[in-house]
Amino acid sequence: MHRHRDLCERAVDPLEIAAGLEAHGITDRTAARFRHRDVFSLAEEMYARAPRANDNPHSATPPATVRLRAAWILRTLLPGTTCIATLAALHVTDGQARLVAAAAGTLAVTLSFHAALAKGPLSTSRPQPVGAHLWMCSLLVYATLGDGLLGAAASGGPETLPAATPDAAWPLTAVPVLTLTLACAPAAWLAHHFAVRARHRLTVSRGLEDFATSVRPLLLGTFGLFLAATAAMLTVTAFALEEPVLYPQTLTLAALLFLARLLGAHGFTYAPTVILTATATAQTAALATLFTARLPHCAFLAAPVETLIDIWGPGTISTLTCGAAAAALLIHATRKLTRASAHAGTATQW
């Protein structure tokens, strides 16, 4: 580290350090003396440990804890607050006033979500494609309207607009969206805690394998705590709104969105975008097959979806698609977020 100090401080990528080490005659056999399998593994740890050229040279070791900033803490509370205000406005209005309140509330919740995710522990270090945000909104819309529309379409409907009553032909479920907006706060706080603890373990670990072994249970514990907090809020919101408690659909969607943002916050945006796109596409395709099956000679297209609905109910599609996607992202996260380079700049940028 001292011999190649200038190289480490100027590098913008671990591969640049690896190239410089090889140029100085460092081989995989030399890297093995430092308990690394090859030069690239050694370069990854050197990149993670070395201060950048614009950093304070006397603060290479990050603090064990980072002071929480009140700005992003308040922003994480905005989505839940605006969603509660929107639901309250819908409860006390009727007719055209309700439509205006619904439109204004949807816009307010969308803007508050953007503000909560723009900066802080859940903000992405790389710009995400516009499609990723659209598919995420599609998943939230499906959580509100999708199961009801799926059930109505399977029975030959819908013949009416969605209504916020459980016995309606096309029921609108507000519990999942309210729970997810409220869960934005614990998601950000847990993501902050994970980043800080991972940075601390990076400074005390003696190798990449040692670091990965220590961070993996931290990641799984953070994920478990988020699901527990979301389940608790789901129970409270369902009781307050007097709606069914949709544990499978809501928890799988919450897990998917949390893992996608956590990966994006550490620089891994490609896989979450692909997974979100595939999930939203699968849910849209399930709805499309029910309506396409009404065309002549196309009834067979709806057979798989109708079978799932008959056996487990309309919520099966959401549970299966989001559950499979969340499991795939969790496996991906255990591989990517246990790398030292994933935590080189986190926990200090907000």
Side-chain angles (χ1 to χ4, degrees):
M1 287 289 293
H2 291 288
R3 187 182 308 166
H4 303 284
R5 180 188 183 95
D6 293 338
L7 172 65
C8 295
E9 291 182 349
R10 293 195 310 268
V12 297
D13 188 88
L15 293 179
E16 186 175 338
I17 297 180
L21 293 178
E22 289 180 337
H24 286 84
I26 304 298
T27 64
D28 289 344
R29 180 176 298 180
T30 307
R33 292 168 46 200
F34 300 98
R35 298 182 180 180
H36 286 279
R37 63 182 182 276
D38 52 33
V39 173
F40 295 98
S41 176
L42 175 62
E44 185 179 23
E45 182 170 3
M46 292 176 67
Y47 178 81
R49 289 180 179 273
R52 303 278 77 80
N54 58 350
D55 290 341
N56 184 350
H58 299 290
S59 60
T61 301
T65 58
V66 179
R67 178 175 297 179
L68 297 176
R69 295 186 178 181
W72 66 256
I73 292 178
L74 293 177
R75 282 196 296 265
T76 60
L77 299 174
L78 283 177
T81 304
T82 54
C83 190
I84 292 174
T86 301
L87 293 177
L90 293 176
H91 182 72
V92 299
T93 55
D94 196 4
Q96 187 176 1
R98 175 173 290 183
L99 293 178
V100 174
T106 301
L107 179 61
V109 172
T110 302
L111 293 177
S112 63
F113 254 125
H114 177 73
L117 301 180
K119 291 184 179 180
L122 293 178
S123 61
T124 56
S125 57
R126 298 178 183 177
Q128 281 190 315
V130 177
H133 299 285
L134 294 178
W135 290 121
M136 187 179 299
C137 292
S138 174
L139 292 174
L140 293 175
V141 171
Y142 187 92
T144 306
L145 302 171
D147 289 345
L149 178 58
L150 199 68
S155 59
E159 299 178 353
T160 60
L161 294 176
T165 54
D167 56 347
W170 181 359
L172 183 151
T173 54
V175 168
V177 173
L178 178 57
T179 302
L180 291 173
T181 55
L182 292 173
C184 186
W189 301 339
L190 287 171
H192 170 81
H193 174 76
F194 172 72
V196 171
R197 298 306 303 168
R199 285 280 294 178
H200 173 69
R201 296 187 182 188
L202 179 62
T203 63
V204 299
S205 62
R206 295 181 296 176
L208 294 182
E209 293 185 2
D210 181 38
F211 174 74
T213 302
S214 64
V215 169
R216 190 172 292 110
L218 176 64
L219 171 63
L220 296 177
T222 300
F223 179 67
L225 285 175
F226 172 75
L227 288 183
T230 304
M233 288 185 291
L234 176 59
T235 303
V236 174
T237 54
F239 176 79
L241 297 178
E242 297 181 349
E243 291 186 8
V245 185
L246 306 175
Y247 285 115
Q249 300 96 306
T250 306
L251 292 181
T252 51
L253 177 57
L256 172 61
L257 297 180
F258 177 68
L259 290 172
R261 296 304 302 189
L262 190 62
L263 282 164
H266 292 269
F268 305 104
T269 58
Y270 178 75
T273 301
V274 172
I275 292 294
L276 290 175
T277 302
T279 305
T281 302
Q283 293 180 353
T284 305
L287 281 170
T289 56
L290 293 180
F291 292 102
T292 306
R294 299 178 183 180
L295 298 175
H297 310 294
C298 294
F300 67 94
L301 294 175
V305 177
E306 290 178 344
T307 301
L308 291 175
I309 294 175
D310 292 338
I311 297 176
W312 290 300
T316 306
I317 301 299
S318 176
T319 302
L320 290 179
T321 54
C322 293
L329 276 189
L330 181 60
I331 295 173
H332 185 68
T334 57
R335 293 177 57 251
K336 295 296 186 180
L337 297 184
T338 55
R339 295 181 178 179
S341 57
H343 305 276
T346 56
T348 57
Q349 59 187 352
W350 11 268

